[in-house]
């Protein structure tokens, strides 16, 4: 797999730009007018919100209750590609503690964080950009990226040593979130008319799926109307289980030509479908574009867990979903090949998955 070894420009930590007391954000973060968030109209936009699903009944012995929850998940996947889940089985205290440990990490002195500075060859560690094209517009965020699965990629020495609780929390948090991911994969499989384990196996099987965490840190921004925390993109992998900052909204989902601001519920996860599920389901399910806006008063920390296929497994539309009337829409490709696009070019809406479609 070819990859680029170094960043095209000196890396600037967005968080530490602020320490220099700037009032105007540097030109490279200023988006062109059509890409800027319209902060005034957005807060006035309808009460629309992504669906909220209570997962409590998903594993009930009562077939009917189980089926009802599964169909709510199916409708949310088809209509939105995004939903919030409550009663998801991950301990609330653990989630909160993990997020606060990461907040502490980002508040450490720059020299400490720089020990984990990342490069575009693997993206693991402390980073501030996605994509390696020179002179492109940058997003108002820093992040930390790490692998949990497959085990061959897990290396706790690459995870922050400080705060001292961090590694243990990440380990426990990952275990519970990955378990939730496995349950959702079963629901998606049966909802699509596939065998319960189909998607999980297509991703590599339990210990072999790809599971990685990106902690996003969005510093306060003196000119939030000019920039974005993350530009529009669809997640390249399978599904994302996001713990947003329930006190600071920021995530916006593209729905029916509007940007809908998600109103996070306490202790809820936001689940969204990525490009690999669009490919495997032959576009019965679709990944959805989303972006993040920033604000002048509050920083924001979010935990994005990516539940992906193992990188070296060929992924293609499920045979069972291919019929005479439904030709395969996407060619076979490994996730390692697939994600080179976003890793090289940065977030570009749904350009990649749409460009793959084979002509009908
Ligand atoms: C991501 C993402 C949203 C958020 O990390 O891919 O879309 O709210 N994050 O931080
Ligand atoms: Ni995303």
């Amino acid at each position: 797999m070819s990859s680029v070894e170094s960043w095209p420009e000196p890396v600037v930590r967005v968080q530490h730009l602020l320490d220099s007391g700037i009032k105007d954000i540097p030109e490279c973060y200023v988006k062109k007018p059509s890409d800027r968030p319209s902060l005034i109209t957005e807060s006035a936009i309808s009460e629309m919100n992504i669906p909220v699903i209570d997962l409590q009944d998903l594993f009930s012995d009562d077939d009917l209750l189980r089926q009802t929850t599964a169909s709510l998940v199916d409708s949310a996947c088809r209509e939105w590609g995004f939903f919030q889940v409550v009663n998801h089985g991950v301990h609330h205290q653990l989630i909160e503690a993990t997020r606060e440990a990461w907040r502490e990490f980002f508040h450490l002195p720059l020299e400490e964080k720089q020990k984990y500075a990342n490069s575009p060859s693997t993206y693991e560690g402390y980073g501030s950009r996605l994509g390696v094209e020179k002179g492109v517009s940058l997003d108002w965020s820093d992040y930390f990226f790490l692998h949990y699965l497959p085990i061959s990629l897990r290396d706790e020495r690459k995870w922050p040593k400080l705060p001292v609780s961090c590694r243990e929390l990440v380990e426990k948090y990952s275990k519970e979130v990955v378990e939730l991911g496995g349950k959702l994969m079963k629901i998606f499989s049966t909802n699509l008319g596939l065998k319960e384990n189909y998607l999980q196996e297509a991703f590599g099987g339990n210990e072999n799926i790809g599971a990685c965490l990106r902690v996003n840190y969005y510093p306060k921004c003196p000119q939030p109307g000019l920039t974005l925390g993350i530009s529009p993109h669809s997640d390249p992998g399978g599904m994302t289980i996001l713990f947003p900052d329930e006190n600071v909204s920021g995530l916006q989902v593209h729905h029916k030509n509007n940007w809908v601001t998600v109103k996070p519920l306490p202790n809820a996860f936001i689940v969204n479908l990525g490009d690999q599920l669009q490919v495997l389901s032959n576009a019965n399910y679709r990944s959805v574009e989303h972006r993040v806006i920033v604000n002048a008063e509050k920083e924001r920390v979010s935990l994005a867990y990516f539940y992906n296929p193992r990188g070296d497994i060929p992924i293609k539309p499920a045979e069972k979903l291919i019929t005479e009337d439904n030709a395969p829409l996407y060619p076979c490709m490994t996730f390692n090949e697939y994600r080179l696009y976003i890793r090289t070019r940065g977030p570009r809406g749904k350009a990649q998955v749409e460009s793959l479609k084979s002509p009908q």
Side-chain angles (χ1 to χ4, degrees):
M1 187 178 55
S2 65
S3 58
V4 184
E5 297 299 322
S6 60
W7 301 112
E9 290 144 335
V11 174
V12 174
R13 305 303 178 184
V14 179
Q15 182 182 8
H16 293 277
L17 260 181
L18 288 180
D19 299 346
S20 58
I22 51 157
K23 297 273 182 309
D24 295 324
I25 65 174
E27 202 53 41
C28 58
Y29 298 96
V30 177
K31 305 292 171 194
K32 55 178 201 287
S34 57
D35 293 344
R36 295 177 194 167
S38 46
L39 297 178
I40 304 159
T41 48
E42 242 127 46
S43 55
I45 278 181
S46 72
E47 286 302 296
M48 217 179 341
N49 202 2
I50 60 173
V52 177
I53 302 177
D54 185 335
L55 293 186
Q56 179 143 291
D57 294 332
L58 206 50
F59 306 98
S60 144
D61 293 332
D62 182 332
D63 278 354
L64 188 64
L65 283 178
R66 224 174 37 232
Q67 194 44 51
T68 310
T69 309
S71 14
L72 290 174
V73 171
D74 191 49
S75 315
C77 288
R78 287 174 200 274
E79 281 162 35
W80 286 85
F82 256 93
F83 50 97
Q84 294 196 65
V85 292
V86 296
N87 289 322
H88 42 62
V90 181
H91 289 95
H92 297 166
Q93 272 177 330
L94 174 62
I95 308 177
E96 202 58 39
T98 309
R99 209 247 324 271
E100 290 316 304
W102 281 107
R103 192 189 300 282
E104 256 183 74
F105 171 79
F106 284 102
H107 286 175
L108 290 171
L110 182 60
E111 317 80 87
E112 181 61 28
K113 292 179 291 200
Q114 289 292 39
K115 293 179 185 163
Y116 305 92
N118 75 350
S119 90
S121 59
T122 68
Y123 274 89
E124 289 169 283
Y126 179 45
S128 297
R129 67 185 285 163
L130 190 52
V132 292
E133 288 181 357
K134 209 171 169 170
V136 294
S137 154
L138 298 177
D139 291 338
W140 194 261
S141 52
D142 301 316
Y143 62 86
F144 197 102
F145 181 68
L146 61 86
H147 288 287
Y148 178 67
L149 287 177
I151 289 171
S152 56
L153 289 183
R154 188 187 307 172
D155 184 353
E156 299 199 359
R157 289 166 306 178
K158 294 180 179 170
W159 305 1
K161 203 169 160 187
L162 295 176
V164 283
S165 57
C166 192
R167 288 182 182 167
E168 194 186 338
L169 285 168
V170 168
E171 174 87 43
K172 287 188 176 151
Y173 180 76
S174 302
K175 187 165 182 292
E176 294 198 11
V177 172
V178 164
E179 211 168 291
L180 169 64
K183 292 175 184 169
L184 289 167
M185 291 288 275
K186 288 189 177 171
I187 306 299
F188 296 159
S189 295
T190 37
N191 281 344
L192 284 164
L194 302 167
K195 281 208 207 97
E196 193 178 71
N197 289 330
Y198 186 90
L199 291 174
Q200 183 78 346
E201 274 161 24
F203 275 30
N206 297 340
E207 298 285 286
N208 269 322
I209 60 144
C212 39
L213 174 65
R214 187 167 76 214
V215 182
N216 296 300
Y217 182 80
Y218 305 97
K220 292 180 209 170
C221 178
Q223 294 174 298
L226 297 183
T227 191
L228 289 167
I230 305 188
S231 292
H233 65 284
S234 58
D235 293 339
M239 115 177 92
T240 305
I241 302 177
L242 178 84
F243 188 66
D245 202 322
E246 72 271 31
N247 301 312
V248 195
S249 56
L251 174 64
Q252 297 190 318
V253 176
H254 200 235
H255 182 70
K256 301 195 170 147
N257 260 338
N258 279 318
W259 287 105
V260 175
T261 305
V262 175
K263 299 165 194 76
L265 291 173
N267 302 314
F269 283 114
I270 297 170
V271 178
N272 66 280
L273 307 176
D275 296 345
Q276 301 306 304
L277 285 183
Q278 177 165 336
V279 170
L280 273 153
S281 73
N282 205 33
N284 275 289
Y285 285 173
R286 294 173 162 276
S287 62
V288 172
E289 239 180 294
H290 51 285
R291 67 180 190 183
V292 175
I293 55 172
V294 288
N295 76 71
E297 277 90 45
K298 290 180 183 162
E299 64 174 26
R300 179 172 182 270
V301 179
S302 72
L303 310 176
Y305 228 105
F306 300 115
Y307 197 99
N308 296 335
R310 202 181 78 184
D312 54 358
I313 298 179
I315 299 290
K316 63 178 190 342
E319 301 280 341
K320 199 164 170 210
L321 304 177
I322 306 305
T323 59
E324 225 169 277
D325 298 333
N326 292 296
L329 293 171
Y330 309 99
C332 188
M333 196 185 269
T334 68
F335 183 51
N336 280 342
E337 288 165 333
Y338 188 89
R339 73 171 157 199
L340 270 183
Y341 180 103
I342 191 166
R343 289 187 163 193
T344 314
R345 306 179 70 182
R348 304 223 170 175
K350 285 201 61 170
Q352 183 182 17
V353 71
E354 295 309 331
S355 74
L356 280 181
K357 269 201 181 144
S358 13
Q360 292 288 291

